Amino acid sequence: MKRPCKICWIILALFLLGNIVLLGFWWFDDDHGERKREFSKEERHKGMRQHFIRNAGIDEEQYDEMYSLWKNHSKYMNSLQQNSDSLRQILKTETFSDNPDSIKVKALFAKIANKQREIEEANFYHYRRIRSICKTDQQREQLDRMFRSKIMDRSPQRRHKGRRGRH
């Protein structure tokens, strides 16, 4: 009689352990979901304002001017990116067609390259305008440090991961 009782306890312990592990995964997943929540536009704006004021030493007026530039730049970049994505879509169609038009393909290469040049140029001049808002060398250095760390975080592989679904 002792043998079956031992097996029952082992089975019960395994079920208990399994439930604990399952509850742990469930709890972790709930916690993880909360961290990934979407922030409202106002929350992002407020957080960005605090971040720049605290880390770059800029004042409210400077931030408002920068934010206005960012909004305009963002709209322009979205239009450039949509145009670039459209060109890439056409190129993809040519890539998988049975008889690609080599003249059209070469023209697409040139258009995509020009569009990418426009994007890089717009980013360059945008940052120069943002940087010109700084009143002191210390503010410029802090802003440069913040942007360099952001740019370094954006490897080409990471930058394109989010766009894969649009191609």
Side-chain angles (χ1 to χ4, degrees):
M1 198 77 163
K2 286 203 174 224
R3 188 89 169 142
C5 204
K6 221 181 218 184
I7 292 172
C8 289
W9 281 111
I10 291 172
I11 291 171
L12 186 62
L14 288 174
F15 277 125
L16 181 62
L17 184 63
N19 282 334
I20 290 172
V21 169
L22 207 60
L23 286 173
F25 282 127
W26 184 34
W27 177 76
F28 177 75
D29 190 45
D30 279 352
D31 203 30
H32 185 67
E34 288 177 18
R35 279 183 265 141
K36 286 182 105 179
R37 80 175 181 90
E38 291 292 322
F39 293 99
S40 71
K41 195 173 187 178
E42 293 80 28
E43 288 174 317
R44 280 194 313 262
H45 178 61
K46 184 179 177 183
M48 202 164 94
R49 176 186 295 273
Q50 291 170 350
H51 179 73
F52 275 86
I53 289 171
R54 183 178 53 247
N55 294 326
I58 63 172
D59 60 35
E60 296 279 338
E61 183 181 304
Q62 288 172 301
Y63 177 81
D64 289 339
E65 193 175 344
M66 286 179 180
Y67 189 72
S68 176
L69 287 173
W70 284 321
K71 285 187 343 185
N72 292 334
H73 180 68
S74 180
K75 288 177 189 173
Y76 181 60
M77 291 305 290
N78 282 339
S79 70
L80 287 176
Q81 195 59 55
Q82 286 175 352
N83 195 297
S84 179
D85 288 345
S86 296
L87 291 169
R88 284 189 173 94
Q89 186 64 37
I90 295 167
L91 179 62
K92 187 168 72 172
T93 301
E94 285 296 316
T95 300
F96 296 109
S97 73
D98 290 335
N99 297 312
D101 181 350
S102 62
I103 294 172
K104 185 176 182 179
V105 168
K106 287 184 182 196
L108 284 167
F109 290 155
K111 287 179 182 179
I112 291 170
N114 284 333
K115 196 55 62 182
Q116 188 60 39
R117 184 196 49 77
E118 284 181 57
I119 290 170
E120 297 301 330
E121 188 176 320
N123 282 331
F124 175 82
Y125 289 115
H126 168 67
Y127 185 71
R128 299 306 300 172
R129 284 188 291 275
I130 291 288
R131 199 172 186 272
S132 73
I133 293 171
C134 295
K135 295 175 182 173
T136 66
D137 287 339
Q138 183 182 10
Q139 284 179 338
R140 277 185 285 282
E141 287 173 18
Q142 289 172 321
L143 189 69
D144 289 349
R145 193 174 313 117
M146 287 170 55
F147 274 82
R148 275 191 187 110
S149 71
K150 276 291 185 202
I151 290 170
M152 294 307 206
D153 287 346
R154 294 166 129 196
S155 68
Q157 293 84 12
R158 277 187 72 198
R159 188 171 48 236
H160 294 295
K161 265 188 179 177
R163 292 193 10 226
R164 284 189 180 156
R166 292 192 296 186
H167 292 283

